[in-house]
Amino acid sequence: MSLSAAVLLAVLVAVPTIRSDAAISRDVLKIGILNDQSGVYAELAGQGSVEAARIAVEDFGGEVMDRPIEILSADHQNKPELGASIAREWIEVDGVDVIVDVPASDVALAVQEVTEDTDTAFLINGAAASSLTGEACSPTSVHWAYDTDSLAAGTVRAMLKEGLTSWFFVTANDAFGTTLQRAAQRVIEANGGEVRGAAKHALNTDDFTALLMEAQGSEADAIGLANAGQDAVRAIEKAHELGVQRGPQRVVPLLLFLSDVKKMGLEVAQDLPLTTAFYWDRTDASRAFAERFAARRDGQRPTMVQAGVYSSLMHYLQAVAAVGDDSGRTVVEQMKKMPVDDFFATGGRVRADGLMVHEMYRARVKRPSESTGPWDLYEIVETIPAELAFPPLSESACPLVED
């Protein structure tokens, strides 16, 4: 038996027995993949997330509770109002049962209000703001891949240990960037470091020259990038052009994706530190999934968002089958009872606040001379246990958490 076949068999065996008295609301279970398909986050999510969802549905058998499973997808264009409008129309007109992915925290927060109002499950992968499972948490949502706290816990702590004690931030002027900078700042100040300032920028900024020059002028040890996707790529490329990485300062991206590194190339991205929830070449199981994904995506390997879409959706479908119901609250409550053990996370669990806690990985981008292939891009340098990657539940601001 091939490795891919073995992984698929293990997934199918793990599917719970479907109840014969299933309470169904429609004849089709519909999944809505809502993300950026044309902007700064398109490569890290986009059509790759749609394909990951298709693989999950196929692995599950194409139906649940004797209902076929269908997938819809749409581009929210990083606009909260549009994302919320699409979500509501999907749910109220098209009968969508679960919305998945939604990079851009401002959009995810808007969509979360709709899904809670309509008792619809929401599986968050692309968005990062910890407020999604904090003060804005919802009984119908699960935050799967990573959040701003786990990103800061990995990268910032490691850089502080390397002597980068003073920081200046280049920050996306939205909920994601603000929350990520705040999370990093808490870690810095708790460990005796200092923040010398920050420069904010709009989403999809073309030129980072002025912001990076301001960061250089601060003479901080680290220039922390509290942005992502194409914005992070442009900032790093401009820093490379300005020679920042060759000087006394270091550029430290707080959220970097495999697709970003591939786009920049190792000559530009080499030695950058990062924290990730998933790397395709880490285990036999992750490689098996990556090979299947690559066969359908022109050789591309999955980002942690795309792998998270598969993992969260498989967990959701298993929960639907276990409870025989498609109510968002009912299914999410079941998801909280089930352990997460797959190629994405082993020993993971969904907490009362909706956050899926699991190991994170600190990595370094390889140098050109170290890479053995076009997607051999990371060296995993540390495994961060879940209890260190994520704040304890006792510190959660989520009103769903009982004292």
Side-chain angles (χ1 to χ4, degrees):
M1 180 182 295
S2 69
L3 180 59
S4 296
V7 172
L8 174 57
L9 178 61
V11 167
L12 296 178
V13 169
V15 176
T17 302
I18 299 175
R19 288 172 31 176
S20 59
D21 60 341
I24 63 173
S25 58
R26 284 172 290 274
D27 293 331
V28 178
L29 187 141
K30 292 187 179 181
I31 299 164
I33 307 299
L34 183 59
N35 59 25
D36 178 358
Q37 299 184 10
S38 58
V40 295
Y41 305 135
E43 293 186 31
L44 63 92
Q47 287 299 319
S49 289
V50 178
E51 199 60 54
R54 291 189 183 118
I55 298 172
V57 170
E58 291 170 13
D59 285 357
F60 199 79
E63 63 178 34
V64 61
M65 298 186 299
D66 297 321
R67 293 186 293 171
I69 303 170
E70 294 182 2
I71 296 174
L72 288 71
S73 69
D75 184 354
H76 61 48
Q77 300 176 34
N78 297 310
K79 298 176 181 178
E81 298 84 0
L82 178 59
S85 176
I86 292 170
R88 191 167 291 279
E89 181 174 354
W90 269 356
I91 294 163
E92 296 181 350
V93 178
D94 299 319
V96 164
D97 298 281
V98 56
I99 293 178
V100 189
D101 201 2
V102 194
S105 294
D106 285 325
V107 182
L109 287 162
V111 170
Q112 183 159 260
E113 292 184 9
V114 175
T115 53
E116 180 172 1
D117 181 54
T118 56
D119 191 22
T120 302
F122 182 23
L123 311 181
I124 305 163
N125 281 281
S130 57
S131 56
L132 286 158
T133 54
E135 59 271 19
C137 71
S138 165
T140 64
S141 296
V142 176
H143 199 172
W144 200 262
Y146 55 87
D147 70 356
T148 46
D149 286 328
S150 62
L151 296 169
T155 301
V156 176
R157 283 177 184 166
M159 295 301 98
L160 288 166
K161 290 179 181 178
E162 291 188 17
L164 305 184
T165 59
S166 59
W167 291 67
F168 186 97
F169 289 96
V170 174
T171 302
N173 191 19
D174 56 17
F176 156 66
T178 300
T179 307
L180 183 54
Q181 180 187 322
R182 188 183 304 129
Q185 188 162 340
R186 284 197 299 269
V187 176
I188 292 164
E189 293 176 347
N191 288 275
E194 64 170 325
V195 176
R196 294 187 178 177
K200 293 198 171 185
H201 66 84
L203 190 70
N204 200 20
T205 289
D206 288 328
D207 191 351
F208 282 83
T209 303
L211 290 88
L212 289 168
M213 291 182 70
E214 184 179 352
Q216 285 183 294
S218 73
E219 298 185 351
D221 299 325
I223 300 174
L225 301 181
N227 54 17
Q230 189 60 33
D231 282 332
V233 168
R234 289 173 181 153
I236 293 166
E237 288 178 336
K238 180 56 67 172
H240 179 77
E241 180 184 323
L242 295 173
V244 175
Q245 288 287 65
R246 296 187 294 275
Q249 294 175 310
R250 286 189 65 182
V251 173
V252 181
L254 299 181
L255 179 53
L256 196 63
F257 294 91
L258 189 73
S259 53
D260 301 332
V261 174
K262 180 64 175 174
K263 189 178 188 70
M264 288 184 284
L266 294 183
E267 187 63 39
V268 172
Q270 61 182 308
D271 290 325
L272 285 172
L274 66 122
T275 297
T276 186
F278 169 85
Y279 180 49
W280 73 271
D281 199 21
R282 195 179 68 83
T283 66
D284 287 344
S286 62
R287 281 187 286 274
F289 173 74
E291 288 170 4
R292 297 172 61 209
F293 182 90
R296 300 162 69 140
R297 292 288 299 167
D298 296 325
Q300 297 175 9
R301 299 305 189 268
T303 66
M304 59 175 162
V305 170
Q306 294 156 350
V309 165
Y310 176 102
S311 177
S312 62
L313 189 52
M314 185 62 73
H315 198 73
Y316 165 83
L317 292 171
Q318 291 172 358
V320 171
V323 298
D325 198 335
D326 58 8
S327 157
R329 283 172 173 79
T330 301
V331 176
V332 167
E333 187 60 35
Q334 179 63 23
M335 292 177 73
K336 293 176 180 178
K337 297 175 182 177
M338 298 161 49
V340 181
D341 285 296
D342 60 12
F343 69 83
F344 184 87
T346 55
R349 60 187 178 86
V350 183
R351 303 191 317 193
D353 56 0
L355 181 64
M356 201 277 276
V357 295
H358 52 88
E359 292 178 341
M360 297 286 286
Y361 308 98
R362 192 165 63 83
R364 176 186 67 86
V365 176
K366 289 187 174 182
R367 299 169 184 170
S369 61
E370 298 171 321
S371 177
T372 60
W375 291 94
D376 180 25
L377 303 177
Y378 292 177
E379 176 193 2
I380 301 296
V381 297
E382 180 186 6
T383 297
I384 307 170
E387 60 271 21
L388 296 180
F390 298 90
L393 187 59
S394 60
E395 296 180 8
S396 175
C398 173
L400 299 174
V401 178
E402 297 180 0
D403 294 332

